[in-house]
């Protein structure tokens, strides 16, 4: 019989084996050996985070044709299958043991059956390929927040992307002292055709919550293949909710107030709803744009960015609206462009770039000229709507100095935002933590976008922008959030924002820039510098404060008419929303915290009273006058 060591040495050679052995962890060795044997790669490369090893992976991505050098030094392009351009919700499942109920929102599959299925698919899947083994630290290393993650993948593009997005964890793994406290990821892009995954019918993204292991097969799109992103987030949500901390789909940023004051915010937004652009507003500083680990440290809420790079949507990134990202994407330096068009001169193009369209190029479809149609006769855009750029945060000019602080940053405000065309005002503060968690976070709805496969523009329930990623019952998650704030001695304020409010005629009531004002207002509120108007659903800004902020921040004359239209309290719409939300929760099978229904009921009562008194829409000026 071949021993574990013999098998590994045979596949990876002495040098790689020594690197793996040096971690001093038999769980790592067992796991790698199991999947080396099953997936049967031609060779195995173990990365020890040295610049030499990292460079080797980048080189292999080019040699294998998974990335192509383009335009400027450091830039590469990568393509996914035309039908593999977003997170695949239908084939993303939790493997759940019989008898365990995680509720109706969680896509579950029988664990034994799922494991059998995916292991059959994995058999010999890496034949003739090179397997990459990488260790990462989710969150800054050497911190109470950090979590170790082990990635096996046959895609050098995935291994390279993770290098940009996550902190190396080779040394951190040694500090585990042999423990099995790490997340595990096995990814294979499967057989390729023209460089893209061929067997999409065997695309699987299965998460085994019992073993903290994720299997991802026959897919390349980053959201499905980069295990450390949303897949690790799902494992971390389970881990956090079994304890007393939080894993959230949240940005972390510093808002800069008067006299050099910095107030840190976290913010949850569904994908493609302004999260990344909020994280990097001009004049403010960014810590992270997607995932946060949050803990109570001596009574304060503190957060770290789980990542160290951005896998951002490129559509509409242009010189005027996103000067900071634009600069990174148009100057030499490391950047991977996925599913954009590369013109004949090697320059990348995308929807909303704001530069002239080239006459010809190659994109996620293949050869492209304007007017190209796919087999179904559908016009192929110059780039996919979910085309992305992958860059290290360190390349941005506005990275916060505390971005890698192992202690995280103290959070002054939590923001919940969704894509809502007709119900909530652009910015509002909740009455307190519990009211905020329930009526801002747990009632969040958003209209669907291109970030997941399926129809766009459908309003769906998406509590805390995290519904898709929850790995625990709704009740457990909400209770943990409620309790988290209760234990803080100085809880942050909780806000809602809505960048997508429209007039009755269907026109956006705000510009993209206006969020720069909302963040300043929230910063002032947290520090007690401005007053507010009480509505049935929270506190909204006063006109003179916004008028001043629009002038100071955007040099804009903000009119009373604009303010009134934007901040009209739409009682009928808000009540209809409560009906929809209550229905969702009444149908849930998990044990929901009592605060959920009491907060919703109290909100309903306030709204009904206001509706009786003022009607379906209330001007903020009317509310203000009556409060005097
Ligand atoms: C998102 O869609 O929320 C992302 C990218 O951040 S993905 O990796 O696809 O989740
Ligand atoms: Mn995200």
């Amino acid at each position: 019989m071949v021993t574990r060591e013999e098998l590994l040495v045979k596949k990876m050679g002495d040098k790689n084996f020594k690197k793996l052995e040096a971690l001093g962890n038999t769980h790592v060795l067992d796991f790698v050996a199991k999947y080396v044997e099953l997936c049967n790669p031609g060779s195995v490369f173990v990365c020890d985070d040295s610049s030499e090893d990292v460079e080797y992976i980048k080189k292999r991505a080019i040699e294998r044709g998974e990335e192509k050098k383009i335009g400027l030094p450091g830039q590469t392009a990568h393509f996914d299958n035309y039908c593999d351009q977003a997170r695949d919700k239908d084939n993303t499942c939790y493997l759940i043991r019989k008898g365990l109920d995680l509720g109706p929102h969680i896509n579950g599959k029988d664990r034994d059956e799922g494991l059998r299925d995916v292991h059959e698919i994995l058999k010999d899947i890496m034949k003739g390929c090179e397997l990459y083994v990488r260790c990462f630290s989710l969150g800054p290393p050497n911190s109470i927040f950090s979590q170790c993650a082990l990635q096996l993948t046959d895609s050098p593009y995935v291994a390279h992307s993770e290098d940009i997005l996550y902190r190396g964890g080779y040394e951190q793994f040694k500090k585990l002292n042999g423990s099995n406290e790490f997340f595990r990821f096995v990814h294979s892009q499967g057989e390729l055709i023209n460089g893209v995954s061929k067997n999409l019918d065997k695309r699987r993204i299965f998460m085994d919550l019992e073993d903290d292991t994720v299997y991802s097969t026959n897919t390349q799109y980053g959201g499905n293949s980069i295990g450390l992103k949303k897949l690790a987030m799902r494992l971390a949500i389970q881990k956090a909710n079994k304890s007393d901390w939080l894993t959230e789909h949240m940005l972390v940023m510093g808002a800069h107030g008067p006299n050099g004051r910095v107030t840190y915010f976290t913010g949850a937004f569904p994908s493609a709803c302004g999260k990344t652009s909020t994280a990097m507003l001009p004049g403010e500083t960014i810590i992270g744009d997607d995932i946060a680990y949050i803990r109570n440290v001596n009574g304060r809420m503190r957060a770290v960015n789980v990542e160290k790079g951005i896998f951002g949507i490129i559509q509409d990134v242009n010189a005027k609206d996103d000067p900071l990202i634009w600069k990174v994407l148009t100057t030499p330096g490391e950047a991977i462009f996925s599913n954009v068009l590369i013109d004949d001169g090697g320059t990348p193009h995308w929807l909303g770039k704001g530069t002239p369209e080239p006459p010809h190029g190659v994109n996620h479809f293949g050869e492209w000229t304007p007017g190209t149609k796919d087999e179904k006769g559908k016009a192929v855009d110059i780039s996919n709507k979910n085309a992305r750029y992958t860059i290290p945060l360190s390349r941005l000019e506005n990275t916060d100095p505390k971005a890698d602080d192992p202690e995280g940053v103290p959070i002054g405000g939590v923001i919940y935002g969704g894509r809502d065309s007709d119900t909530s005002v652009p910015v509002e503060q909740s009455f307190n933590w519990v009211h905020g968690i329930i009526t801002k976070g747990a009632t969040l709805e958003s209209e669907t976008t291109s970030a997941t496969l399926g129809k766009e523009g459908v309003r769906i329930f998406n509590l805390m922008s995290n519904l898709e990623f929850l790995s625990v019952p709704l009740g457990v998650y909400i209770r943990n959030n409620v309790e988290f704030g209760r234990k803080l001695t100085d809880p942050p304020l909780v806000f809602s924002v809505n960048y997508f409010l429209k007039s009755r005629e269907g026109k956006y009531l705000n510009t993209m820039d206006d969020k720069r004002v909302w963040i300043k207002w929230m910063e002032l509120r947290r520090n007690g510098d401005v007053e507010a108007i009480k509505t049935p659903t929270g506190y909204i800004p006063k006109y003179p404060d916004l008028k001043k902020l629009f002038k100071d921040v955007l040099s804009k004359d903000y009119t009373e008419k604009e303010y009134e239209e934007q901040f009209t309290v739409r009682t009928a719409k808000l009540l209809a929303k409560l009906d929809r939300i209550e229905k969702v929760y009444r149908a849930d099978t998990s044990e929901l915290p009592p605060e959920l229904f009491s907060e919703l009921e109290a909100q309903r009562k306030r709204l009904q009273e206001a509706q009786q008194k003022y009607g379906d829409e209330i001007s903020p000026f009317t509310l203000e006058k009556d409060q005097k």
Side-chain angles (χ1 to χ4, degrees):
M1 218 186 80
V2 188
T3 65
R4 182 183 68 191
E5 180 168 342
E6 280 163 359
L7 170 82
L8 289 173
V9 171
K10 182 167 156 256
K11 286 283 183 182
M12 59 177 66
D14 271 338
K15 196 171 162 205
N16 281 299
F17 180 70
K18 286 224 161 66
K19 286 192 257 182
L20 205 57
E21 206 184 23
L23 297 175
N25 194 312
T26 54
H27 302 287
V28 172
L29 290 172
D30 283 344
F31 185 74
V32 176
K34 177 173 176 188
Y35 289 96
V36 165
E37 191 166 20
L38 182 69
C39 304
N40 192 18
S43 62
V44 181
F45 179 75
V46 177
C47 177
D48 67 3
D49 295 345
S50 63
S51 50
E52 190 190 334
D53 281 9
V54 170
E55 283 311 311
Y56 173 78
I57 287 170
K58 292 189 205 172
K59 188 172 88 144
R60 292 297 291 150
I62 304 287
E63 285 169 0
R64 292 234 14 213
E66 280 183 40
E67 291 177 41
K68 290 190 177 52
K69 288 193 181 179
I70 56 163
L72 301 166
Q75 296 189 340
T76 56
H78 165 82
F79 295 109
D80 303 313
N81 187 309
Y82 184 64
C83 300
D84 185 31
Q85 298 280 323
R87 265 186 277 115
D88 179 6
K89 274 174 86 163
D90 290 346
N91 285 307
T92 303
C93 312
Y94 292 101
L95 303 181
I96 299 174
R97 198 172 276 278
K98 274 193 187 66
L100 192 70
D101 180 13
L102 296 184
H105 299 283
I106 289 175
N107 197 5
K109 192 176 182 61
D110 178 73
R111 182 170 183 265
D112 295 338
E113 206 182 289
L115 285 175
R116 206 177 312 118
D117 178 33
V118 79
H119 282 79
E120 258 167 42
I121 293 175
L122 283 168
K123 183 148 181 37
D124 291 328
I125 199 169
M126 299 184 187
K127 216 169 170 178
C129 299
E130 188 168 36
L131 165 65
Y132 304 90
V133 180
R134 298 213 56 173
C135 301
F136 291 101
S137 168
L138 295 163
N142 303 318
S143 130
I144 52 157
F145 293 92
S146 54
Q147 170 68 42
C148 284
L150 180 70
Q151 174 83 59
L152 313 190
T153 177
D154 58 9
S155 164
Y157 156 73
V158 167
H160 175 200
S161 298
E162 289 185 337
D163 191 70
I164 297 177
L165 294 170
Y166 302 96
R167 297 153 175 118
Y170 185 76
E171 293 306 320
Q172 189 77 12
F173 260 79
K174 290 183 183 165
K175 294 183 190 147
L176 280 175
N177 290 325
S179 118
N180 67 354
E181 281 283 304
F182 56 93
F183 295 159
R184 298 143 162 88
F185 304 87
V186 184
H187 166 253
S188 172
Q189 52 193 348
E191 202 179 323
L192 302 181
I193 179 164
N194 298 327
V196 299
S197 293
K198 181 179 155 203
N199 303 317
L200 295 189
D201 59 320
K202 295 209 166 61
R203 183 166 48 182
R204 303 281 188 278
I205 300 118
F206 284 177
M207 292 151 296
D208 181 4
L209 294 172
E210 260 176 55
D211 277 349
D212 276 340
T213 304
V214 177
Y215 306 93
S216 161
T217 63
N218 295 295
T219 177
Q220 291 169 303
Y221 167 66
N224 300 324
S225 63
I226 300 173
L228 276 75
K229 210 166 186 34
K230 292 308 187 320
L231 307 174
M233 183 166 112
R234 296 162 189 260
L235 301 181
I237 286 174
Q238 177 185 249
K239 192 162 182 176
N241 281 277
K242 276 188 174 167
S243 178
D244 59 355
W245 51 287
L246 304 175
T247 297
E248 298 297 323
H249 190 201
M250 282 183 170
L251 62 86
V252 187
M253 54 95 69
H256 293 241
N259 307 316
R261 181 175 71 201
V262 185
T263 306
Y264 291 99
F265 284 81
T266 57
F269 298 69
S271 314
C273 292
K275 181 139 146 267
T276 301
S277 56
T278 304
M280 51 176 105
L281 289 173
E284 318 298 359
T285 45
I286 176 168
I287 292 201
D289 85 318
D290 202 30
I291 307 168
Y293 288 167
I294 296 167
R295 282 181 183 266
N296 175 339
V297 183
N298 301 325
R300 279 302 303 264
M301 170 167 169
R302 295 189 81 93
V304 294
N305 179 15
V306 169
E307 311 181 283
K308 72 164 177 68
I310 302 183
F311 179 58
I313 293 178
I314 203 163
Q315 178 172 348
D316 294 331
V317 170
N318 60 61
K320 182 183 155 287
D321 297 327
D322 306 279
L324 298 165
I325 311 174
W326 179 262
K327 189 157 177 214
V328 174
L329 298 183
T330 54
T331 50
E334 190 169 24
I336 307 175
F337 294 78
S338 46
N339 307 318
V340 302
L341 180 114
I342 307 301
D343 72 17
D344 298 342
T347 302
H349 295 266
W350 55 86
L351 288 164
K353 185 182 180 186
T355 55
E357 227 175 51
H360 179 260
V362 173
N363 68 5
H364 58 300
F365 181 73
E367 293 272 329
W368 183 91
T369 50
T372 295
K373 293 202 167 74
D374 67 13
E375 293 90 77
K376 290 189 181 142
K378 193 172 161 258
V380 180
D381 287 327
I382 190 164
S383 62
N384 188 271
K385 284 184 173 170
N386 196 31
R388 303 244 170 189
Y389 59 86
T390 306
I391 57 166
L393 266 167
S394 56
R395 289 197 60 203
L396 283 164
E397 275 170 17
N398 63 336
T399 305
D400 192 276
K402 295 206 166 83
D404 289 311
D405 195 325
E407 308 211 336
V409 290
I411 301 301
V414 174
I415 307 169
Y416 292 103
R419 187 175 284 263
D420 163 11
S421 53
D422 65 6
T423 306
S424 36
V425 294
V427 61
E428 186 174 54
Q429 179 198 329
S430 66
F431 297 127
N432 54 51
W433 175 268
V434 178
H435 176 251
I437 289 300
I438 302 299
T439 71
K440 306 289 186 201
T443 66
L444 200 98
E445 290 181 312
S446 198
E447 290 147 27
T448 51
T449 69
S450 58
T452 49
L453 302 173
K455 199 165 179 288
E456 287 176 40
V458 183
R459 177 155 47 198
I460 53 161
F461 165 72
N462 188 355
L463 89 159
M464 283 84 158
S465 315
N466 221 354
L467 182 65
E468 214 181 306
F469 311 114
L470 282 198
S471 47
V472 292
L474 247 54
V476 172
Y477 176 67
I478 297 172
R479 187 187 311 268
N480 193 34
N481 261 274
V482 166
E483 291 303 325
F484 183 85
R486 281 221 177 103
K487 291 185 194 141
L488 298 170
T489 43
D490 180 17
L493 301 186
V494 182
F495 299 91
S496 58
V497 295
N498 176 17
Y499 303 153
F500 301 93
L501 189 63
K502 289 182 177 167
S503 67
R504 271 195 213 93
E505 296 71 43
K507 275 185 55 192
Y508 282 116
L509 287 176
N510 291 96
T511 71
M512 303 241 273
D513 281 341
D514 294 359
K515 52 172 99 66
R516 293 179 57 189
V517 169
W518 313 147
I519 194 80
K520 292 289 190 212
W521 182 77
M522 290 186 270
E523 202 278 338
L524 293 174
R525 270 307 278 173
R526 163 66 192 186
N527 293 286
D529 291 348
V530 281
E531 291 184 343
I533 301 167
K534 193 169 180 192
T535 77
T537 49
Y539 298 106
I540 57 172
K542 291 189 160 185
Y543 173 66
D545 296 323
L546 288 188
K547 184 176 160 65
K548 180 168 184 319
L549 285 172
F550 267 95
K551 194 80 195 164
D552 292 350
V553 179
L554 301 175
S555 306
K556 224 156 119 177
D557 290 318
Y558 183 63
T559 65
E560 286 192 5
K561 185 167 171 286
E562 284 170 298
Y563 168 76
E564 190 168 30
E565 252 194 307
Q566 293 165 10
F567 286 91
T568 284
V569 178
R570 303 174 180 206
T571 50
K573 295 275 186 202
L574 287 158
L575 281 163
K577 173 177 169 170
L578 276 184
D579 288 345
R580 290 192 296 273
I581 300 295
E582 283 208 9
K583 214 163 134 200
V584 170
Y585 283 114
R586 299 252 174 243
D588 196 77
T589 47
S590 64
E591 200 186 317
L592 295 160
E595 296 85 349
L596 178 79
F597 291 110
S598 60
E599 284 293 344
L600 294 181
E601 211 27 64
Q603 182 112 321
R604 179 187 295 282
K605 203 155 160 268
R606 285 189 300 269
L607 279 165
Q608 282 169 338
E609 278 168 14
Q611 190 184 35
Q612 267 167 20
K613 189 164 171 200
Y614 301 105
D616 284 352
E617 295 188 353
I618 320 171
S619 160
F621 292 120
T622 307
L623 284 173
E624 186 177 24
K625 196 163 77 254
D626 284 8
Q627 280 165 31
K628 278 201 181 128

